[in-house]
Amino acid sequence: METRYSISNQRKRLFQYIEDFYGTEPEYLWAKYPTYAVFRHSASRKWFAAVMELSRDKPGLPGGGCVDILNVKCDSVLIGSLLAEAGFFPAYHMNKNTWISVLLDETVPDERIFPLLEWSFDSVAPKRKRKNENNCAQKAERN
């Protein structure tokens, strides 16, 4: 992969938004890929976003150089319609049925990305435990 010395402005804004809105900071897990970052839900510790720097040919873009992409979990029905829009690609290195890649080169406006982050964040939140169904019956018996 080609080395790049500047990080995209959209990536910087996205990282700041995630820190401000979700209270989580990027984790850099791979020494071999120092620009790859993941964001985890603070309660479940599951990833809700991953940012990677890829050569332009990986998502099928023309030209040389590198681009930043964002991977987010996404509703499978929505993935189909997003793939028809500029700046969206099948998820890179993730399950293509439940994740999507977003180009971070200003093709997709921040305002379009933020709701996808919210959906992804919510989708990895811990599931609420159901109250014991017997509690309802027990309460009814006491009344």
Side-chain angles (χ1 to χ4, degrees):
M1 180 166 52
E2 202 176 290
T3 303
R4 185 180 70 176
Y5 298 102
S6 64
I7 302 296
S8 74
N9 287 331
Q10 191 166 32
R11 177 183 172 131
K12 291 175 191 175
R13 290 192 312 269
L14 182 73
F15 279 34
Q16 189 62 57
Y17 176 84
I18 292 171
E19 185 177 334
D20 292 347
F21 199 76
Y22 300 105
T24 186
E25 295 186 1
E27 294 179 41
Y28 299 92
L29 303 176
W30 303 279
K32 185 176 178 180
Y33 301 105
T35 61
Y36 286 26
V38 299
F39 292 90
R40 297 178 193 263
H41 192 288
S42 58
S44 70
R45 304 299 299 150
K46 292 181 179 179
W47 297 4
F48 68 92
V51 177
M52 300 175 210
E53 178 186 355
L54 305 176
S55 59
R56 293 182 63 83
D57 64 320
K58 295 286 184 190
L61 296 170
C66 296
V67 294
D68 287 322
I69 63 154
L70 166 70
N71 282 339
V72 288
K73 286 194 73 128
C74 191
D75 180 79
S76 59
V77 174
L78 183 56
I79 288 173
S81 62
L82 290 174
L83 289 175
E85 297 180 29
F88 292 95
F89 301 93
Y92 181 78
H93 260 297
M94 303 295 260
N95 182 328
K96 291 168 181 32
N97 295 319
T98 57
W99 289 78
I100 193 162
S101 290
V102 184
L103 191 58
L104 297 179
D105 70 346
E106 310 296 339
T107 299
V108 180
D110 294 351
E111 294 73 26
R112 183 82 167 111
I113 296 172
F114 296 158
L116 297 173
L117 278 169
E118 182 177 2
W119 194 95
S120 186
F121 182 84
D122 290 345
S123 74
V124 300
K127 305 300 181 230
R128 293 183 182 179
K129 292 183 180 180
R130 289 185 180 176
K131 291 183 179 180
N132 186 343
E133 292 176 10
N134 292 333
N135 282 346
C136 291
Q138 290 171 354
K139 286 179 184 178
E141 288 175 8
R142 284 184 264 181
N143 291 334

